[in-house]
Amino acid sequence: MSDSKLEPRYNGPSEDEMSREQREIRDEIVDSRPRTGLSGPFGPWIAVPSIARPAQALGQACRYGTSLSFQESELVILLTGAKFKSHTEFDIHVGEALKAGWTMEVIESIPRDDSFTLESIKTHLIPKMENERQRAITVFSTELLLNYSVSDETYEKAKTALGGSDCVLVEITSIIGYYTYVSFTLNVFRIPSK
């Protein structure tokens, strides 16, 4: 399913409705995102400056400030969008995932909507992962998305596969948390990808 037929409920305040603080935040966001500008969840977030500014900062940290590769980060984001039925989030990040080196075959093997189960991930996506690190990220992320936590076994396997550092698991958990928030915003306000 595509989001191209979505009629937005709310895109955020219009230019003439914006306060000075909202304009400042809008300008900061646009300056930090020259290619994409004020797209995705940022319009609605600007309505509440005390939320928009830290949300923007957290997004920057989750997207660009972790030890995960661009490819690994995009995998986590796609899994999150798929789980939360955020077609906009998923569609936006398909292009990013392709730039990061994922193939359409891998992207299309990510189960979406009600098909997002651990069994479907293990059947369709895991066999396409190239190494243990990718498999560990996929299983950890999927289990967290489905169960809102992970088992001791999954935690330890992921930690081992990711170099023995708990910090990487903090990063994955943070990316999932942030993009869950993004997905909810996009879904509630029906923000299309274009």
Side-chain angles (χ1 to χ4, degrees), residues 56-186:
Q56 161 74 350
L58 180 59
Q60 290 283 332
C62 287
R63 187 85 190 277
Y64 306 111
T66 72
S67 65
L68 296 177
S69 70
F70 181 35
Q71 187 180 53
E72 292 166 343
S73 181
E74 286 304 318
L75 175 63
V76 174
I77 295 166
L78 286 175
L79 289 167
T80 305
K83 163 60 174 125
F84 290 111
K85 303 178 184 181
S86 182
H87 298 275
T88 298
E89 186 62 33
F90 196 93
D91 292 349
I92 288 169
H93 281 275
V94 164
E96 296 298 307
L98 289 168
K99 287 179 201 166
W102 291 112
T103 64
M104 277 309 292
E105 179 186 8
V106 170
I107 294 166
E108 289 172 348
S109 69
I110 297 173
R112 295 175 70 180
D113 302 333
D114 294 333
S115 298
F116 191 92
T117 65
L118 186 56
E119 184 62 33
S120 63
I121 292 286
K122 285 182 176 180
T123 300
H124 302 289
L125 183 59
I126 292 292
K128 293 179 172 58
M129 297 292 96
E130 296 176 354
N131 56 56
E132 189 55 37
R133 187 175 168 93
Q134 291 175 351
R135 286 186 286 278
I137 290 169
T138 301
V139 171
F140 182 92
S141 298
T142 301
E143 191 171 315
L144 178 55
L145 286 161
L146 290 169
N147 300 330
Y148 314 112
S149 189
V150 297
S151 68
D152 290 341
E153 179 183 2
T154 298
Y155 188 95
E156 290 305 322
K157 280 184 177 180
K159 181 177 173 179
T160 299
L162 299 170
S165 172
D166 295 291
C167 296
V168 180
L169 302 180
V170 171
E171 293 171 339
I172 294 168
T173 302
S174 298
I175 293 168
I176 290 171
Y178 177 76
Y179 281 95
T180 296
Y181 173 44
V182 170
S183 294
F184 286 177
T185 301
L186 297 171

